[in-house]
Amino acid sequence: MKLAAIDIGTNSIHMVIAEAAHKNSFQIIDREKEMVKLGVGVFSTNRLSERAFKEGLETIKRYVQLADQRGADEIITAATSATREAHNGSDFLNELVRQTGISPEVISGGKEARLIFKAVRNEIALRGENAMIIDIGGGSTEIVVGNEKEILMGKSMKLGVLRLLDMFNGDNTVGEEALGVLQAHIRFVAQSIMTEAKEIGFTRIIGTSGTIRTLGEAAHIAAGGKSMKSVNAEVVKLNDLDNLTKELLKMKAEKRAEINAIGEKRADAIHLGGALLVQLLQMAGVEEITLCDASLREGLILDYLDNHAQNIADFPESQDLRHRSAFQLAHQFNVDWQQKIHVASLSLQLFDQTQKLHELEHFERDILEYASLLHSVGQYIRFEHYHKHSRYIIAHAGLRGFNDEEILLISHVARYHRKAEPKKKHKKYKKLSKRQRKVVKVLSAVLRVAVSLDRTKNQLVKEVACKHAKKKLVLQVAGRPENMKLELWATRKHVDPLAKALKKEVSVEAIPGDL
């Protein structure tokens, strides 16, 4: 089933088109964004400008046409604060219905907050913790506290970059006195909501919306980091955001546009967004924020799927976002999921029993698990060189719940689980840091052995035990030796990379029965 979701926001109008396979699983197949800035002037005049009215209609008409051409079964549309508050907002919506046939829902701030949380929860693995979500829009800012199971609080407050632009004439520099007034205004409006959120309790803050993602990437680069391939799940320090904001407040709009990751379209109000975000993080008492790619439009899709689950083919349920994401990719490329779960189990047994030798921790263990689950997705393209195809697919699939480094390492471990071992002469491997190269070397060697232990894909090897000696490591493989001949042959053939990675001689022996 194909769904299109159009978010008629105060700052931008977004559309995503998704292929849905399950109420928690969909794949984005197209994406559009236009910074129409419907809300410019709305909060001082209470009207959509003639320019915004016309550009908004033309943009949404193009989106509807594109959604129809892509075969969308449903087009879900929501309008937020600018349309809610403008006196001619209903005129805009009536004209939209007349020209396109779609009828957007004008959603409340509270519903907007709930939909945003649904989207974030589907992109970031919360793992049993309470999280506060901040979404800074053009006219409002949504604050949500929740966890994997429920939303504990969802509120909207009248703080947004275009609303602040109307109040503080913000496309110019902001002096000390004006900044003091701005910060006091933010604290006054946000105080009760932030106090309520802190009383509920949370262990991390996640930021979504274009304003926060732009500020996050710009602050990261200004602090010496590299441009982010995907901001999803990346962490940015409050101190770096504060330093960037102080510089932006001193600049005119044309200078702000020159800052890496900001650009001309956000330059008029990005400094006000920075002041707002920094104040909220300080009020929350945190030192960092996790960035998230998802927002209201993904929430609209998830909400539709929740209410129409009977129309969609179902996947096996998994409570863990990252497992759901991996399963969806494996399903897309016709991977035998149960067989890959078996390989992952063998990989983790080897990892855990050799931990004192490789000294890697839980982060790397997760990398190994997901590389084990996805290492063969490239066979869908062609068996020859499938390890290289797997790296490409994993790197470009947009796996939800993983940050850039995790995806980078998972794809490299999959790449080196067979054929050539990792070498510095390999261009992509050479670009990794020294620590990352060690991780890939160890984990790919472990995965190579685990894959060999299921050479016939019949799951004949149920367990493997590692017996340590001074200079030797013995892999004891449990099962019926007469049935495991190919597994034993393949494993003995492929233990050398593991021996090099662990700096020990490695041998393999069969143990009848169970370990």
Side-chain angles (χ1 to χ4, degrees):
M1 185 177 198
K2 285 184 182 177
L3 300 171
I6 301 175
D7 166 12
I8 306 172
T10 301
N11 208 18
S12 303
I13 301 178
H14 294 259
M15 179 177 73
V16 294
I17 302 175
E19 185 82 54
H22 173 262
K23 70 178 183 178
N24 289 319
S25 296
F26 60 86
Q27 181 185 7
I28 301 295
I29 59 174
D30 211 338
R31 188 185 296 272
E32 287 289 337
K33 179 186 80 171
E34 192 69 39
M35 292 193 70
V36 175
K37 300 197 175 185
L38 279 178
V40 168
V42 164
F43 306 108
S44 56
T45 66
N46 294 317
R47 293 187 64 81
L48 299 173
S49 70
E50 187 177 342
R51 175 209 60 80
F53 196 108
K54 181 180 178 182
E55 287 188 24
L57 284 175
E58 290 302 316
T59 298
I60 297 166
K61 282 166 64 179
R62 285 197 304 272
Y63 287 179
V64 171
Q65 185 179 16
L66 177 60
D68 287 340
Q69 289 175 346
R70 295 302 304 268
D73 298 294
E74 294 285 347
I75 301 176
I76 315 149
T77 318
T80 58
S81 58
T83 312
R84 282 197 303 264
E85 296 185 36
H87 290 167
N88 58 343
S90 58
D91 296 334
F92 176 75
L93 296 175
N94 288 335
E95 190 62 22
L96 194 55
V97 173
R98 189 184 72 79
Q99 293 192 27
T100 68
I102 64 170
S103 182
E105 178 186 2
V106 182
I107 60 174
S108 67
K111 183 170 183 179
E112 186 176 355
R114 292 192 298 274
L115 292 175
I116 288 167
F117 184 80
K118 276 190 174 186
V120 172
R121 186 171 57 188
N122 199 56
E123 290 288 333
I124 302 287
L126 298 183
R127 298 181 175 180
E129 62 186 326
N130 282 0
M132 175 197 281
I133 314 302
I134 302 177
D135 184 290
I136 295 176
S140 63
T141 292
E142 279 62 51
I143 301 290
V144 196
V145 178
N147 52 47
E148 288 175 316
K149 296 181 180 179
E150 60 182 331
I151 296 173
L152 302 170
M153 182 200 99
K155 297 289 178 69
S156 181
M157 49 194 178
K158 291 188 176 183
L159 288 170
V161 292
L162 296 187
R163 193 184 295 271
L164 292 175
L165 189 68
D166 280 356
M167 292 178 66
F168 290 92
N169 191 25
D171 59 346
N172 297 313
T173 59
V174 177
E176 257 186 67
E177 184 177 349
L179 178 59
V181 174
L182 172 62
Q183 291 171 334
H185 173 72
I186 292 168
R187 289 194 298 271
F188 175 77
V189 175
Q191 187 61 57
S192 63
I193 290 175
M194 296 300 289
T195 298
E196 182 181 349
K198 289 178 77 173
E199 286 174 353
I200 293 170
F202 50 87
T203 54
R204 69 193 294 198
I205 287 188
I206 300 170
T208 184
S209 77
T211 293
I212 294 180
R213 291 193 297 269
T214 298
L215 286 164
E217 184 169 10
H220 172 76
I221 293 171
K226 295 180 181 178
S227 181
M228 296 173 177
K229 182 179 177 183
S230 165
V231 302
N232 202 56
E234 299 292 344
V235 176
V236 179
K237 300 294 183 185
L238 169 58
N239 187 55
D240 293 337
L241 287 165
D242 192 24
N243 290 338
L244 172 69
T245 298
K246 286 174 180 174
E247 294 302 313
L248 293 174
L249 290 165
K250 298 174 188 175
M251 298 176 182
K252 298 231 179 204
E254 57 268 24
K255 288 295 182 184
R256 293 194 291 267
E258 296 173 4
I259 298 294
N260 203 331
I262 291 180
E264 186 177 344
K265 290 187 176 181
R266 291 199 181 274
D268 59 343
I270 194 66
H271 58 316
L272 300 175
L276 173 55
L277 180 59
V278 167
Q279 283 296 302
L280 293 177
L281 294 179
Q282 289 175 345
M283 292 173 77
V286 298
E287 297 298 325
E288 62 186 29
I289 183 170
T290 301
L291 306 181
C292 179
D293 265 338
S295 198
L296 176 60
R297 52 251 175 220
E298 289 85 2
L300 289 168
I301 290 174
L302 289 165
D303 192 56
Y304 180 93
L305 296 180
D306 278 346
N307 294 322
H308 300 82
Q310 69 277 8
N311 299 330
I312 300 154
D314 214 17
F315 279 170
E317 284 285 1
S318 171
Q319 294 302 312
D320 185 87
L321 166 64
R322 284 146 65 109
H323 271 90
R324 289 203 309 269
S325 184
F327 176 83
Q328 186 178 5
L329 184 63
H331 178 82
Q332 181 182 349
F333 288 95
N334 293 337
V335 168
D336 183 339
W337 184 246
Q338 291 305 315
Q339 191 265 334
K340 294 305 176 285
I341 288 176
H342 181 67
V343 170
S345 173
L346 295 173
S347 291
L348 297 180
Q349 289 176 48
L350 289 166
F351 180 95
D352 292 342
Q353 294 178 64
T354 57
Q355 200 275 333
K356 290 183 180 178
L357 298 177
H358 56 67
E359 297 181 326
L360 300 179
E361 301 292 342
H362 187 75
F363 172 83
E364 291 82 12
R365 191 180 191 274
D366 279 355
I367 298 298
L368 176 62
E369 180 178 6
Y370 290 104
S372 301
L373 292 170
L374 298 172
H375 70 271
S376 69
V377 290
Q379 289 190 23
Y380 183 87
I381 298 174
R382 191 179 180 186
F383 182 81
E384 187 179 5
H385 306 307
Y386 80 78
H387 49 299
K388 295 181 181 179
H389 301 319
S390 293
R391 175 170 63 185
Y392 181 86
I393 290 170
I394 294 166
H396 295 87
L399 284 165
R400 302 192 311 282
F402 300 89
N403 63 29
D404 280 359
E405 183 182 22
E406 289 168 331
I407 290 172
L408 178 71
L409 291 173
I410 292 167
S411 65
H412 272 77
V413 172
R415 161 36 182 126
Y416 288 110
H417 86 276
R418 69 190 291 265
K419 299 293 186 181
E421 297 173 45
K423 296 181 178 66
K424 280 191 178 180
K425 69 179 183 179
H426 298 159
K427 291 181 181 178
K428 290 184 173 65
Y429 181 72
K430 186 178 181 180
K431 289 180 181 179
L432 302 179
S433 69
K434 184 178 180 181
R435 183 192 68 83
Q436 290 171 335
R437 288 197 295 270
K438 177 194 173 180
V439 170
V440 171
K441 184 178 180 181
V442 173
L443 299 188
S444 63
V446 172
L447 179 55
R448 191 179 293 247
V449 170
V451 170
S452 300
L453 287 168
D454 196 35
R455 179 66 180 81
T456 63
K457 295 182 171 55
N458 289 322
Q459 302 175 31
L460 299 174
V461 175
K462 301 301 182 186
E463 293 180 276
V464 57
C466 299
K467 298 299 181 183
H468 297 263
K470 189 172 183 181
K471 294 183 179 180
K472 192 172 183 178
L473 178 69
V474 180
L475 305 185
Q476 294 185 329
V477 180
R480 296 178 63 182
E482 66 273 18
N483 292 338
M484 300 189 301
K485 289 180 180 178
L486 282 174
E487 277 73 15
L488 294 169
W489 165 79
T491 306
R492 287 171 180 140
K493 184 180 176 183
H494 292 120
V495 293
D496 283 352
L498 184 63
K500 292 175 189 174
L502 300 180
K503 299 178 181 177
K504 277 205 172 190
E505 181 186 343
V506 178
S507 64
V508 184
E509 63 180 43
I511 303 295
D514 297 327
L515 291 170

